[in-house]
Amino acid sequence: MAVGQDRGTGRQTDLRTKGLAGGSVGLLASVVLGISSIAPVYALTATLGPTVTEVGLQMPAVFLAGFLPMLLVAYAYRELNRVAPDCGTSFTWTTKAFNPYVGWLCGWGALLATVIVLSNLAGVAVSFFYLLLGEITGSESLATLGDDAVVNALTCVAFVALATWVTYRGVEATKRVQYVLVGFQMAVLLVFAVLALAKAGSAPRGIAFEFSWLDPTAITSFSAFTAGLSLSLFIYWGWDTCLTVNEETAGSARTPGRAALLTMLVIIVTYVGVAIVVQMYAGVGTEGTGLGNPDTSDNVFAALAGPVLGPGLAFLLFLAVVASSASSLQTTFLPTTRTMLAMGTYGALPQRLAEVHPRHRVPSTATLVAGAATAAFYVGMTIISENVLIDTIYALGLMICFYYGLTAYACVWYFRRELFRSPRDLVFKGVLPLLGALMLTAVFVQTAVDTLDPAYGSGSSVFGIGSVFVIGIGLLLLGVVLMFAWRARHPDFFRGRTLRVDTPSLVFDE
């Protein structure tokens, strides 16, 4: 039976309110939460080097190319949120557009991505925390303390526990923390970029800017392009946090979509600007401060902090990376817990996950589960092998393409009966989301093929198959097994009794 829509609220009538703190997030707070989840300072220091390794001088072009499918998918999120502002976002929308099985797997992909990112963010925060202490105290032994496996794991658990506690205190506490952390990291990044630009002309490896850096067609290898694109997709990932707090946002049908687009605009300007400036200052060489240096490629800002900011201010960049990764660690709990909350509410996961704290009005059980899962995943991967932990990060691109792509396809299918109602509907509900979905599908397929090669990632393999492929595809297939196991015990969700498939013939815009 088709599900109607309430003309007054624009909400699908089978969607359930979950007891979250409605009206707590405005447009500015939503944008700040989106920027925080993306973690621009952390993302840049982790990807500038690897991207240069793949595409050389075309790094800014790849950043631009990675922005395009994300922007197109953001339109899909905006349109779906207008008619169904539910904190389950991708899980809820793909369920209503396609069927409960697709919706469950989409939710699983989103949860996988966030748990992997949470553990990685915690690890980065730990590493830079000790680097910062070493920079302040001048102690080399303190700076390398994060390399000790036991110290690293214990500190990581402490960081995750702190982030869990702040998230548990409610979205108001989260907002206050993020205003400070996001403002600080963006200010330091601006100072760093200005000084790097000023010194580029006299830097030993400095090179002059050329507009050809912005031309993606100059990349001759399609595999290199998709590898670089996969990395650039990772650095944009997180903007959908603006949508996952939709039930807590004032003007839940429209504000989250606007916030997502504003977040993307701020981030693309930041990324391309910093990429150009850093490339002008450091060049793409494989020695010294060159961005292609394999010894520093995974932590570019650690190598450039001293030369660009000077010994007196270098610690600020280390502190900015700590702030960036720590703030993102905290806000990335939001999409994780809200997805769990929605899946618990509609019977796709245990009902305990649907519990909301009566005073703080946050997903109480889901927050604790997310924190425990993150800590356990990081410690477990660290114990098994550092290579396994590295390869889970590389596998993240597959999961991002998977659930973002499914959501974009869901937009086209959900609105298929009204695409030709107006030119606007055709463009924003059909053409743009479909193009974004096709781009992400192409990246997913090419990345899956490339990761079959053991040389991809850490160089590890399982029976001759690259471990990045085994981890990425294996975890998605694990979701299929878990889905059918859950269906055997709790079939109501899969029979459409809690969240029904619906393709409205008419959408009433506010």
Side-chain angles (χ1 to χ4, degrees):
M1 182 176 68
V3 180
Q5 185 182 50
D6 187 292
R7 288 175 180 262
T9 65
R11 180 184 291 274
Q12 296 297 315
T13 54
D14 66 333
L15 300 183
R16 305 179 192 175
T17 56
K18 304 170 188 67
L20 297 170
S24 299
V25 179
L27 179 62
L28 176 60
S30 188
V31 171
V32 168
L33 293 176
I35 294 173
S36 173
S37 292
I38 292 172
V41 178
Y42 152 71
L44 283 169
T45 192
T47 57
L48 285 169
T51 306
V52 165
T53 300
E54 295 290 347
V55 299
L57 290 169
Q58 308 313 124
M59 174 179 61
V62 167
F63 284 179
L64 283 172
F67 169 74
L68 182 58
M70 288 298 188
L71 177 65
L72 299 179
V73 171
Y75 282 114
Y77 272 71
R78 184 188 70 173
E79 296 303 321
L80 288 166
N81 182 74
R82 281 183 171 178
V83 298
D86 187 271
C87 70
T89 59
S90 292
F91 155 73
T92 303
W93 299 332
T94 50
T95 297
K96 293 186 71 62
F98 297 126
N99 58 62
Y101 297 93
V102 175
W104 199 98
L105 288 174
C106 192
W108 170 253
L111 289 176
L112 277 177
T114 50
V115 168
I116 290 174
V117 167
L118 281 169
S119 63
N120 186 47
L121 287 166
V124 170
V126 169
S127 297
F128 270 90
F129 174 70
Y130 286 110
L131 285 172
L132 173 64
L133 292 181
E135 185 72 22
I136 293 174
T137 62
S139 171
E140 185 175 345
S141 60
L142 192 56
T144 58
L145 193 57
D147 297 332
D148 183 282
V150 175
V151 173
N152 187 293
L154 291 175
T155 310
C156 178
V157 170
F159 273 47
V160 171
L162 179 60
T164 304
W165 178 77
V166 174
T167 306
Y168 197 87
R169 298 289 297 176
V171 73
E172 287 290 343
T174 298
K175 278 167 42 182
R176 290 192 293 270
V177 171
Q178 294 309 319
Y179 283 139
V180 175
L181 294 179
V182 171
F184 173 74
Q185 66 173 292
M186 295 302 284
V188 172
L189 193 58
L190 177 62
V191 171
F192 172 81
V194 170
L195 290 178
L197 180 61
K199 296 180 179 181
S202 58
R205 292 177 174 81
I207 53 179
F209 169 72
E210 296 181 10
F211 281 101
S212 60
W213 296 356
L214 303 175
D215 180 13
T217 63
I219 304 171
T220 56
S221 167
F222 186 67
S223 292
F225 175 74
T226 54
L229 193 60
S230 182
L231 287 167
S232 69
L233 291 177
F234 164 69
I235 65 176
Y236 289 111
W237 181 83
W239 54 265
D240 51 321
T241 296
C242 301
L243 283 301
T244 57
V245 293
N246 50 18
E247 294 189 43
E248 297 148 276
T249 303
S252 61
R254 292 186 177 272
T255 302
R258 291 170 179 167
L261 294 175
L262 284 173
T263 299
M264 293 291 285
L265 179 61
V266 171
I267 292 300
I268 184 61
V269 171
T270 301
Y271 282 171
V272 175
V274 171
I276 290 173
V277 168
V278 171
Q279 199 159 277
M280 290 173 64
Y281 176 85
V284 295
T286 57
E287 297 180 355
T289 57
L291 299 179
N293 187 339
D295 296 330
T296 61
S297 64
D298 62 342
N299 194 348
V300 168
F301 286 161
L304 295 180
V308 174
L309 295 177
L313 295 177
F315 79 95
L316 287 176
L317 194 55
F318 289 104
L319 184 57
V321 178
V322 173
S324 182
S325 53
S327 67
S328 185
L329 171 65
Q330 200 247 310
T331 49
T332 303
F333 269 88
L334 298 178
T336 315
T337 56
R338 272 63 180 172
T339 299
M340 287 185 187
L341 173 67
M343 294 182 78
T345 298
Y346 298 117
L349 284 178
Q351 191 174 5
R352 283 287 302 275
L353 295 173
E355 294 177 351
V356 173
H357 194 282
R359 181 159 64 92
H360 301 311
R361 298 174 72 185
V362 297
S364 51
T365 303
T367 300
L368 297 176
V369 168
T374 299
F377 182 85
Y378 183 84
V379 173
M381 292 298 100
T382 301
I383 292 173
I384 294 171
S385 170
E386 185 179 350
N387 287 341
V388 175
L389 184 61
I390 292 171
D391 286 339
T392 58
I393 309 304
Y394 277 97
L396 180 64
L398 289 169
M399 297 165 197
I400 292 172
C401 291
F402 176 76
Y403 86 90
Y404 273 175
L406 276 179
T407 308
Y409 283 123
C411 179
V412 179
W413 189 249
Y414 188 86
F415 294 112
R416 68 188 186 277
R417 296 180 184 175
E418 55 192 84
L419 292 180
F420 296 100
R421 189 181 62 175
S422 70
R424 182 201 177 279
D425 287 339
L426 179 61
V427 172
F428 291 106
K429 297 177 181 177
V431 175
L432 298 185
L434 181 59
L435 286 174
L438 292 173
M439 289 179 184
L440 292 178
T441 301
V443 174
F444 179 90
V445 172
Q446 184 63 48
T447 302
V449 171
D450 290 343
T451 55
L452 286 168
D453 186 348
Y456 197 102
S458 69
S460 303
S461 65
V462 179
F463 301 115
I465 300 174
S467 59
V468 176
F469 178 90
V470 173
I471 292 170
I473 302 300
L475 287 174
L476 290 175
L477 291 177
L478 174 63
V480 177
V481 176
L482 295 176
M483 176 181 68
F484 282 106
W486 180 256
R487 181 188 184 280
R489 296 184 59 189
H490 303 275
D492 282 356
F493 168 73
F494 297 95
R495 292 175 179 171
R497 294 173 180 170
T498 59
L499 188 63
R500 291 166 288 188
V501 177
D502 176 41
T503 303
S505 58
L506 183 63
V507 175
F508 300 100
D509 291 329
E510 290 181 309

